[in-house]
Amino acid sequence: MSLFSRLALMLGLFTLGVSGAQATTPSSAPAAAVVGGNLRGLWVDAFGPGLKTRAQAQRVVEDAARMNVNTLFVQAIRRGDCLCLKSTLPVVTDKDLEKNFDPLGFITAAAQARGMRVIAWASVTGIANTATPNTSPQHVMKTHGPTSKDSWMARRQDGSWQEGNDGWLDAGIPAAADYVVAGLVSVVKNYPVDGVQLDRIRYPDGGNWGYDPKVLARYRTETGQKGTPAGNDGTWQEWKRHQVTALVRRISLEVKAVRPELWVSAATIAYTRPPAPGDLGAFRRTRTYTEVFQDWPTWVKQGLIDLNVPMNYKRDGVNEQGVWFDGWNAFARSMTARADGLTGGVAAGTAMYLNSPEVTASQAARSVKLGLGWVGYSYRTPTLNVFNAKESTAQGLELVRAALTVPGGALAAPLAWKEAPPSTRGLYGKINGTGIPGYQLVRASQNGKVVGETRTDGNGYYGFLALPAGRTEIRVSGQLWVDTVPARGVVRVPNLFVREMKPVAVPVIQTPVAPPEPVKDGDDVPPPPEN
């Protein structure tokens, strides 16, 4: 069928209201939009054409404008390298990258000139792709890779580090955490982006990770546990979840210490069957919580992220995936309450690369009807046929544009997204003077009442992003510091010298954590396209 014929057919289907793409056809009125509900976005990845030349980047902006997109999630930090010239990370090494071209700088200026926001999308702990290795001697794989004396790689129990073509940093290695924080902070200092998105902010799939000897030594020292924990050891899992959450917290605090108006977003995991709305117990039995160790409801509640973008990559018509798509959206919407009484943002991330334009349009419409924003993956692979090399990117973009922008569609008309992020103030600091700086309890009090609790990371950092403004007492290990949380901005508390501490008295979870529900044939979603 010709491109013109497919466009005509889609327009006819939407006009008649009989598109077969929808998994559900709710008759209720649209829900009130949540924070981020006006976002209409596209992910622009760096593993193919789109960001490698000025002409490509300008074309991205023009195509996005024709689709009524108001936000570009531009891959800035790819795999321990940057599509930019002004950061602490080495520049992406790619023979197709235009000489002396700064992709992030160019597309930020071009998109903002058209009224779009630009979010710098960063792969945080995913730092290597063996199919497209960075050749710079300064790249982290050269300085702290798998054969380095000071390796920062996430490892399985057998010592292996590779997951497919990918290599990951371990969030439980303090020096690795310093490295990723510095990279992100350098980007927001040097580029006028509107925010950052944390991707691959987790452990790799499978659950059997975290077994670098340095990480195990930290775990034993900080918790008092002995031996090598099994993968389903509940205490071990909880400690690893803390490593991921602590890294999210520190990135957000340090980014907002530079520019408090920035949005901090995370591309979060939403594998297979969803929990019911509000059911945290069911969420804590999912692969998200027990395998890759993301606790994103807590990130939202504590204000560590302003915008949650679940990667709700489902294929309507495959098993129960259409129902699961709607279920994950409903659960994410139910997890927007914050400890400070504000509301966190949510936008549904959808897999355009796995679906026809009709299904993408249906998923976007259902997301928007629930009051959520929408982000599509991706500009380079906008349809299943593009993913399967049956049509060109340009053809796929035109088809998906037509489907999304029909009257009544999710992107039918230009829509501004100009609201400020919910987190614009905070407080953070660091403890020193102890050989056990990690996993120590820190309390924040105002007017004699505890208003926040957290634990230090492996470097001794702690912080809060959902405290009311005002005089605040910080207590850790007998030390007290009083400071003021400003109405806007992030205050850095002086380092607190604490006495030598014993391992934290952590509750031992005696019952092994049950594995998540088995995956049925067809429910494993093909990963996003990368070289």
Side-chain angles (χ1 to χ4, degrees):
M1 183 181 292
S2 70
L3 176 62
F4 178 80
S5 299
R6 288 187 66 190
L7 287 170
L9 176 60
M10 284 195 299
L11 288 170
L13 287 172
F14 277 97
T15 301
L16 293 170
V18 295
S19 171
Q22 292 193 8
T24 58
T25 53
S27 58
S28 58
V34 300
V35 172
N38 282 0
L39 189 159
R40 304 290 184 268
L42 277 179
W43 276 294
V44 185
D45 76 89
F47 284 92
L51 296 171
K52 297 184 180 184
T53 69
R54 287 169 176 82
Q56 288 179 12
Q58 187 64 48
R59 178 67 183 269
V60 169
V61 173
E62 299 302 324
D63 287 340
R66 280 191 289 272
M67 291 177 66
N68 294 329
V69 162
N70 60 28
T71 306
L72 295 179
F73 291 78
V74 176
Q75 191 158 40
I77 299 176
R78 188 176 71 167
R79 294 290 184 270
D81 48 17
C82 193
L83 272 90
C84 67
L85 301 181
K86 296 180 289 185
S87 81
T88 59
L89 302 169
V91 178
V92 167
T93 52
D94 188 321
K95 63 180 178 58
D96 296 325
L97 185 63
E98 185 177 327
K99 188 176 181 181
N100 300 321
F101 174 50
D102 191 324
L104 182 59
F106 181 92
I107 200 167
T108 298
Q112 289 175 343
R114 296 294 297 267
M116 299 178 200
R117 281 179 160 171
V118 175
I119 307 296
W121 161 27
S123 175
V124 179
T125 55
I127 49 85
N129 184 295
T130 57
T132 55
N134 188 291
T135 58
S136 169
Q138 281 75 48
H139 190 266
V140 66
M141 281 292 283
K142 302 289 197 307
T143 58
H144 297 282
T147 61
S148 168
K149 291 182 180 178
D150 184 21
S151 174
W152 294 347
M153 307 301 291
R155 295 182 185 272
R156 299 182 182 88
Q157 278 185 283
D158 63 4
S160 60
W161 60 271
Q162 202 166 331
E163 184 207 26
N165 288 332
D166 292 329
W168 300 66
L169 294 181
D170 196 311
I173 296 176
D178 282 342
Y179 159 83
V180 298
V181 171
L184 275 156
V185 169
S186 72
V187 168
V188 301
K189 280 183 175 179
N190 291 305
Y191 295 90
V193 295
D194 298 287
V196 297
Q197 183 172 70
L198 312 181
D199 189 15
R200 299 197 170 207
I201 182 76
R202 60 184 179 92
Y203 279 87
D205 290 349
N208 188 33
W209 297 88
Y211 289 93
D212 179 278
K214 297 185 293 298
V215 176
L216 289 170
R218 262 198 68 208
Y219 168 70
R220 295 175 189 125
T221 298
E222 292 179 5
T223 66
Q225 302 299 300
K226 309 218 181 271
T228 298
N232 65 348
D233 183 303
T235 306
W236 171 232
Q237 289 193 358
E238 179 61 26
W239 186 87
K240 287 193 288 185
R241 252 185 311 274
H242 170 72
Q243 307 313 308
V244 177
T245 296
L247 184 54
V248 175
R249 177 182 292 109
R250 185 173 166 205
I251 290 170
S252 191
L253 283 160
E254 298 228 17
V255 162
K256 288 179 181 285
V258 176
R259 293 173 56 198
E261 78 281 5
L262 289 179
W263 283 82
V264 175
S265 168
T268 56
I269 297 298
Y271 288 152
T272 60
R273 185 181 303 279
D279 191 345
L280 276 173
F283 174 79
R284 290 168 181 159
R285 294 189 294 274
T286 65
R287 292 176 61 196
T288 304
Y289 192 80
T290 65
E291 181 178 317
V292 300
F293 306 112
Q294 282 191 348
D295 185 7
W296 50 255
T298 292
W299 302 354
V300 175
K301 183 177 182 179
Q302 295 184 359
L304 309 187
I305 58 174
D306 301 301
L307 178 72
N308 180 25
V309 184
M311 293 181 287
N312 200 357
Y313 293 175
K314 308 296 186 294
R315 296 163 291 178
D316 289 4
V318 176
N319 295 339
E320 302 173 80
Q321 289 187 31
V323 175
W324 291 357
F325 177 85
D326 297 328
W328 273 111
N329 279 353
F331 177 76
R333 197 187 196 288
S334 76
M335 291 289 125
T336 58
R338 292 169 37 126
D340 56 4
L342 299 178
T343 302
V346 186
T350 69
M352 300 197 300
Y353 75 98
L354 292 178
N355 290 299
S356 68
E358 297 88 344
V359 170
T360 288
S362 174
Q363 291 186 345
R366 281 143 54 198
S367 302
V368 169
K369 189 169 185 178
L370 195 60
L372 312 184
W374 174 83
V375 188
Y377 192 98
S378 70
Y379 170 83
R380 181 168 64 95
T381 49
T383 69
L384 178 62
N385 278 347
V386 175
F387 182 53
N388 289 332
K390 294 181 179 179
E391 63 192 16
S392 70
T393 293
Q395 289 173 320
L397 283 169
E398 181 56 22
L399 289 165
V400 82
R401 183 204 64 78
L404 288 165
T405 59
V406 297
L411 278 72
L415 187 65
W417 181 50
K418 300 296 183 184
E419 65 191 326
S423 289
T424 57
R425 64 173 175 262
L427 174 150
Y428 78 113
K430 183 181 182 182
I431 66 171
N432 59 19
T434 172
I436 311 177
Y439 220 41
Q440 302 297 334
L441 184 64
V442 183
R443 288 192 172 97
S445 300
Q446 294 178 342
N447 301 315
K449 180 182 176 181
V450 175
V451 291
E453 285 189 352
T454 189
R455 290 188 182 274
T456 55
D457 70 7
N459 287 297
Y461 284 99
Y462 63 89
F464 303 90
L465 280 153
L467 297 181
R471 183 181 184 275
T472 305
E473 296 181 349
I474 300 297
R475 294 181 182 273
V476 55
S477 186
Q479 290 284 45
L480 169 67
W481 182 264
V482 179
D483 217 312
T484 299
V485 175
R488 180 182 174 85
V490 175
V491 64
R492 172 68 154 86
V493 173
N495 289 354
L496 298 180
F497 186 87
V498 300
R499 301 178 183 88
E500 190 66 33
M501 292 186 281
K502 296 179 181 179
V504 178
V506 297
V508 178
I509 302 173
Q510 299 286 0
T511 305
V513 176
E517 179 183 9
V519 177
K520 298 177 184 177
D521 289 344
D523 281 339
D524 268 332
V525 174
E530 296 172 352
N531 291 336

